[in-house]
Amino acid sequence: MKIVHLSDLHLGIKLHKKDLYEDQAFILKQIVRCIREESPNAVVIAGDIFDTSQPQDSAKSLYDWLVGAIYKEGIPLYIISGNHDPVELLNMCSGVLAESRVFVASKTNAQLYKYSLQDESGSCNIYLLPYMKASFARAAAQYTDEEKATIQSLSDAVSLALQHAGIDYNERNILVTHQFIQGARVNDIAKRPVGGLIGLEAELFAGFDYVALGHLHTPHNAVSGSHSLRYSGTPLKYSFDETAIYDLEKDCWTGNQSHKSLTVVELGAKGTEPVLKEVPLYPLRELVTVRGKLDELLKEETIAKFAAAKDYFRFILTDKDYQENAQRRLSAHYRHVLNLKYEAIDRSIDVDYTELESEASLSPMDYLKALYKEQFGEEMSAEDEKLALEILGKDQV
């Protein structure tokens, strides 16, 4: 049984104010090509399809395209909701979608949904458990008052849901869920919240042959030495904290660089360990962090080293003081400057990329007037505009 495991697409996410529609469309097409080449028995997406509970139309169109593309490949698709997802939106038309072998579990009723597949080794069950909270189980209609009284933690709630599912652990079983497992790596999420780090004990899922996890952004096995519980991670880097830093003073890279992939899982006969393969994913644009003084970043050799790339940049400025017009000076040479961080004064500035793009289309005089307003806090007078033309000449302006 071959499964392609995806999670945490976060469609519609913005990176320091920059819309990533083009980047996400590019990586989704690459994912579908990988699925076509792998020809799996099923594809699972373990939650956080969207980045927000109220996604924009552009994010919905990406989701629509992805579901349609996988359907056209003739491969069953299993989807659960994560803590970021719009539960009602994902659940719309789920009954009709199931007729096309697109199975969506997006409810807060603390219940597992079972589906079965067949291969040469026999039956394999796929259980879908959407993102859960203990409060979901306490409000669920299928549990008695006595059972609800036993729910003191998320682990209690998940354990109760597993018990009610009537799982036959003598069969091959795959669980798709969106939770944090105790012992998993959380350093990749940096300042992004993950729905409360209430960890579940890995032992809860000991009877499953494979647990396809979503929630954490770096691909890794949740339990060291075991291939049975795995986070597939995000298909793109959604934080500069996932990148190494090029230090101009040391002339070298420091820190760790994360790499993105999708996970291919192969399950043999019952009792055999799953075989995992990471299929690398290559973004349209990389995330690059460079550290140094502004003057060093604007030197010809530095610009030649980095500026030709179409990557997204964060610059960590080591200057002791705030640098006048640093954003515009850097953006004049580096195509996609998204963030400046002043190390000495502990200040971070997100560059308004859309504003810079609109400024690029201004006439020379309009640009000069905009710059004047930024510098002096007031509009350029007609007299000053006339003076600028006289001093610089119309063509120079």
Side-chain angles (χ1 to χ4, degrees), residues 161-338:
L162 293 173
Q163 292 171 29
H164 269 251
I167 302 166
D168 183 354
Y169 288 105
N170 293 313
E171 297 179 349
R172 290 183 301 167
N173 297 298
I174 294 172
L175 176 66
V176 185
T177 192
H178 190 90
Q179 295 291 348
F180 169 57
I181 304 298
Q182 290 180 9
R185 298 207 308 264
V186 297
N187 58 312
D188 61 288
I189 56 172
K191 297 179 181 178
R192 287 183 61 82
V194 291
L197 292 177
I198 304 173
L200 295 174
E201 302 86 353
E203 291 75 17
L204 275 173
F205 309 115
F208 286 95
D209 297 272
Y210 182 73
V211 182
L213 294 164
H215 209 21
L216 301 184
H217 290 188
T218 296
H220 69 285
N221 297 333
V223 177
S224 179
S226 171
H227 291 175
S228 297
L229 289 90
R230 181 169 176 82
Y231 290 98
S232 62
T234 57
L236 290 170
K237 296 172 190 171
Y238 292 138
S239 169
F240 281 101
D241 293 322
E242 294 188 70
T243 67
I245 299 172
Y246 190 84
D247 194 317
L248 290 178
E249 295 176 8
K250 298 178 181 178
D251 194 22
C252 68
W253 292 95
T254 62
N256 297 318
Q257 184 86 354
S258 68
H259 300 282
K260 297 303 179 179
S261 62
L262 57 80
T263 298
V264 179
V265 187
E266 291 200 54
L267 282 179
K270 179 68 180 180
T272 60
E273 189 173 38
V275 177
L276 306 182
K277 178 174 72 171
E278 288 188 44
V279 179
L281 295 172
Y282 303 100
L284 178 63
R285 301 178 183 90
E286 265 292 358
L287 272 58
V288 178
T289 300
V290 186
R291 177 183 180 274
K293 288 183 170 58
L294 180 61
D295 288 345
E296 293 293 321
L297 292 166
L298 294 173
K299 282 186 176 179
E300 289 186 9
E301 56 266 33
T302 308
I303 293 169
K305 187 179 184 69
F306 293 105
K310 55 184 179 181
D311 300 323
Y312 293 130
F313 285 95
R314 175 182 66 166
F315 292 107
I316 300 175
L317 301 182
T318 57
D319 302 270
K320 293 182 179 180
D321 302 310
Y322 177 77
Q323 299 297 298
E324 196 74 25
N325 289 323
Q327 300 176 39
R328 284 181 171 79
R329 292 168 69 186
L330 288 165
S331 296
H333 300 284
Y334 301 90
R335 290 177 60 185
H336 304 293
V337 182
L338 300 191

Side-chain angles (χ1 to χ4, degrees), residues 30-50:
Q30 192 175 142
I31 286 170
V32 171
R33 286 197 300 271
C34 292
I35 291 171
R36 184 181 304 123
E37 292 168 3
E38 291 294 334
S39 188
N41 298 90
V43 176
V44 302
I45 306 180
D48 278 0
I49 288 83
F50 294 101

Side-chain angles (χ1 to χ4, degrees), residues 15-31:
L15 179 63
H16 296 284
K17 299 183 180 180
K18 177 71 175 77
D19 187 280
L20 297 182
Y21 176 87
E22 187 180 8
D23 304 82
Q24 292 189 320
F26 179 87
I27 210 68
L28 291 183
K29 290 176 183 177
Q30 192 175 142
I31 286 170

